[in-house]
Amino acid sequence: MFSRLAIIRIPAAFRLHAHSIQIATAISFIWLFLFFAFRYHDSTGSFSSLKSPSTGPPSTINTNPVTLHSFSPIEVGARYFLDYPLTPPYKEIFGELGQRAVVLRSWIEELQSHVNASADNRQVEGWDAITDLVERVAESLFPYLKPLSTNPRQYSPPLSAIRDRLGIPTNTDTTTTPVSRSVGIVIPTGDKTLRFACHLIASLTRIHKTQLPIQVVYAGPEDLSAEGKNAIQRAADGRDIELLDILTVFDDTTLKLANGGWAIKPFAALASRFEQVILLDADTVFLQDPEELLRQDRYQETGAMLFHDRLLWKGGFPERQDWWHEQIKHPSKETEKSLVWTERYSEEGDSGLVVVDKSRLDVLIGLLHIGWQNSYDVREEWTYKITYGDKETWWIGFEATESTYAFSPHYGGMVGWLRSTEEEKEKAKAKKRREEEELEEEELEEDKIEEGHREQAANKVPRGTGKRESKEEVSVCSFVIAHVDQTDKLLWYNGGLLKNKIVNQTAFEVPTHWMIDQRWIKGGSKKDMSCMVGNNVSTLSEHERDILSRSIAVAQDVDKQLGLL
């Protein structure tokens, strides 16, 4: 049954803005009235609906008899959400939409517990009506979920997953129907990023020899041409690459993905048939087997793993920070330990690689919010104006919907090449002056010795032969951001195999050094290298350099064979 905790908690959805207080009071009274009127409770004493996010099918089954009035609290809440939908300005409703999604999740979990308990729920009076209401709420909160066609009705994978939890039969396209416990790599790309996608696919299949299926997602023929599709298959060297047109899955009316750039990414994850998705930008470069991502403890614990961006521009975007704190009233422990959240750095997420498990309901609901943030009206009005593309939408979506997720423990690092800094040059000059001074003093000491002060000199330690200072700061510079695994070994970086894909389309070079947890110095433009500066620098291992060298070789072969230059 719908637990007492779930009923009492629902008013939290309306604590986000001052203009919602009166409405919140009214709806709270209605919910509490229904609670006492119907004596609605779970006789087991279990508060399972909202105690913790779902990690799969409910662990306990509700065996209480189902009656029409059992669903009254859900019905009242659902009708309220449908009668009073959230409207623009969108910047004001990110948090409130998230809280409504939390309530939606609790309803789905509650109804799913009945589905798991009995195969004949559709015979219960009011069952079809209540599941229909819940489905309508999902479509109201996230309009892109509405069926693409009505004759026959074509349901998107996320809506099909919700209907399945509600015990509603769904006939869907087998190419997008989620396969239980399936895992795969998803690469959104089009003709504009085709060359880098081909480099990535060639590296995955020929160098890392991954056995994971690979799916390329695009937005219609104007996004990825027939020639582009052929190039992708040829780059895979005999491996079959799945191709999925996102416009055959979602109604593009509210999305406009064909020219949406980054916006396609969350929808690619939602549309994929894989339950567990490793979502990659086309310019991702791996130094380890991508399956290592699935073995990370943080992913296995939460079902969603993200990676931090660089720590840059502390206090640089106050409006952005103020808005984040306004919309996220109850930050998770993951956010409370964030330096972007607590010390007001400017950028939190590097969305070049995301790993999600859609079989976990809380992760799925979080992805729906992320998709909404990247829908056309929302991104044009606010998302892509207050932040850069889709980068921050991932953690915001999981935070707003109280979904479990985890960041990699380190902020973005650097893999590149050693370079002297102006600071180092000044230190070098100072060091040279000290050495010259020490040499002069040593020469004076020798003069003293010659003058008969040998005994005094024998008992004195020459200043130039003592213990030196700790090593000087060095810089590692490039155009990419590097990330490590849970053992602090290089795992992947973004930006592609070219040394600088903006300036030179033919120059490849194997990096030599890398850094993590040091100080960033951002390049002045996209044509200028950024650097990480600090005392702790590591050299790429022979194995890592070999992987990158061979990845470059296959990339050059792909360029030549496919005529990508």
Side-chain angles (χ1 to χ4, degrees), residues 312-318 321 343-346:
L312 287 171
W313 304 309
K314 186 174 182 178
F317 294 86
Q321 285 284 347
E343 298 186 19
R344 298 178 74 88
Y345 283 91
S346 295

Side-chain angles (χ1 to χ4, degrees), residues 22 24 26 151 177 210 253 359 374 433 443 459 485 489 493 506 524:
Q22 292 181 336
N151 189 23
T177 302
T210 181
T253 303
S359 70
N374 287 272
R433 287 195 296 269
E443 290 174 348
N459 295 325
D485 65 12
K489 292 175 59 179
Y493 63 85
T506 60

